[in-house]
Amino acid sequence: ILIAVLVASVASAGTSSPIPVIASGAVAICLLGTVDDLRAISRVARLAIQAAVGVSVWAADAGWNTGLPGWAELALTVFWIVLAVNAFNLIDNLDGAASSAAAGSALGIVAIALILDAQAWVVLVALALLGACLAFLAFNLARPARIFLGDGGSTLLGYLIAVSAMGALWDESAPAPAAIMVLLFGIPLLDTAFVMVSRWRRRIPLLTGGRDHLTHLLLARVGSPWKVAAIAATAQLALSALAATALELGSAALVAAAALYGVAAIVVIAV
């Protein structure tokens, strides 16, 4: 996935735009996760490196640009990148789950970037990520699986989705970007919130591994990782379509759509 995105985006966008910084950040995030797969890195060190990558993205003018003070946009950029990286890492608990959700998010970003006439690099990165995820799924959902993401791949997905989404929404004023981001990250955020609530109630550390995710509950009901991946992709595509449709209707519709998603998420977690 990393090689596919690097080749497609760099070859298409050249050295103009923030692509070189974004590509460097992608390599750093992927390497960090891969090293963590091989030998454990402390949580503080992981978060510090992820935050540093977020700072570099903001400095390259690829972070939030919503009209807020510079320090606030820097903080929001770092927050979204760190949140996305770790949310996709958490949802990578079953073959196909993270990459199918990422494909749904990437397609939504492409649509929103075209609606808002965003910079070309945004569409290129999102399309490259979409294609890489679809190709990856064919091998990941094979039986037996012939490849898997690991922390290096799952955190990379979150990073690329976060950066391309911020690029698509660049120069949009608040609160529209926040509402769209919630919808574009809908499925990973829902799974993360579910695990947080579930483990808090059972007094279990959040970063502990376990088969207590929504994807595992779905697997127990539908019996196949293929079906779980299809459900995750369909749900994320629906949320991405909702974001694109609400964007056309204005800020009030976006806030209402995000609020509707929030209520639905609370109901799902409660049930």
Side-chain angles (χ1 to χ4, degrees):
I1 290 177
L2 175 64
I3 292 173
V5 170
L6 290 180
V7 170
S9 58
V10 174
S12 302
T15 56
S16 61
S17 73
I19 281 291
V21 173
I22 291 171
S24 299
V27 172
I29 290 292
C30 187
L31 284 177
L32 173 65
T34 302
V35 171
D36 191 44
D37 276 332
L38 300 174
R39 51 184 304 176
I41 299 176
S42 71
R43 298 174 190 174
V44 173
R46 289 202 310 268
L47 291 174
I49 295 172
Q50 292 165 3
V53 171
V55 171
S56 70
V57 168
W58 180 80
D61 246 358
W64 283 120
N65 182 46
T66 60
L68 295 173
W71 63 267
E73 292 184 336
L74 170 59
L76 284 173
T77 299
V78 172
F79 169 77
W80 274 113
I81 287 179
V82 171
L83 177 64
V85 163
N86 289 284
F88 270 92
N89 189 25
L90 277 174
I91 201 176
D92 182 35
N93 50 68
L94 187 72
D95 288 338
S99 44
S100 59
S105 297
L107 187 57
I109 290 168
V110 171
I112 289 169
L114 293 176
I115 291 172
L116 296 176
D117 195 23
Q119 298 179 63
W121 70 262
V122 178
V123 179
L124 294 171
V125 169
L127 279 176
L129 179 59
L130 173 61
C133 285
L134 293 177
F136 169 84
L137 279 168
F139 298 95
N140 182 230
L141 288 174
R143 283 293 168 263
R146 296 173 58 190
I147 192 172
F148 63 95
L149 288 172
D151 283 3
S154 61
T155 54
L156 174 65
L157 293 182
Y159 167 78
L160 291 171
I161 292 293
V163 172
S164 55
M166 288 189 294
L169 298 168
W170 201 82
D171 212 23
E172 287 294 303
S173 57
I180 293 175
M181 288 293 267
V182 167
L183 295 172
L184 287 177
F185 284 92
I187 298 306
L189 289 180
L190 175 60
D191 184 69
T192 300
F194 173 78
V195 170
M196 289 177 65
V197 172
S198 173
R199 294 183 181 179
W200 173 77
R201 292 179 68 240
R202 292 178 291 142
R203 303 295 188 267
I204 297 175
L206 174 61
L207 296 182
T208 301
R211 298 183 62 81
D212 55 355
H213 292 257
L214 283 174
T215 47
H216 296 130
L217 297 180
L218 279 174
L219 180 63
R221 290 179 177 271
V222 302
S224 165
W226 268 101
K227 293 179 181 178
V228 174
I231 292 171
T234 302
Q236 186 54 64
L237 280 171
L239 290 172
S240 296
L242 178 61
T245 302
L247 177 64
E248 293 275 46
L249 298 177
S251 295
L254 276 171
V255 173
L260 177 63
Y261 164 76
V263 172
I266 290 172
V267 171
V268 168
I269 293 172
V271 170

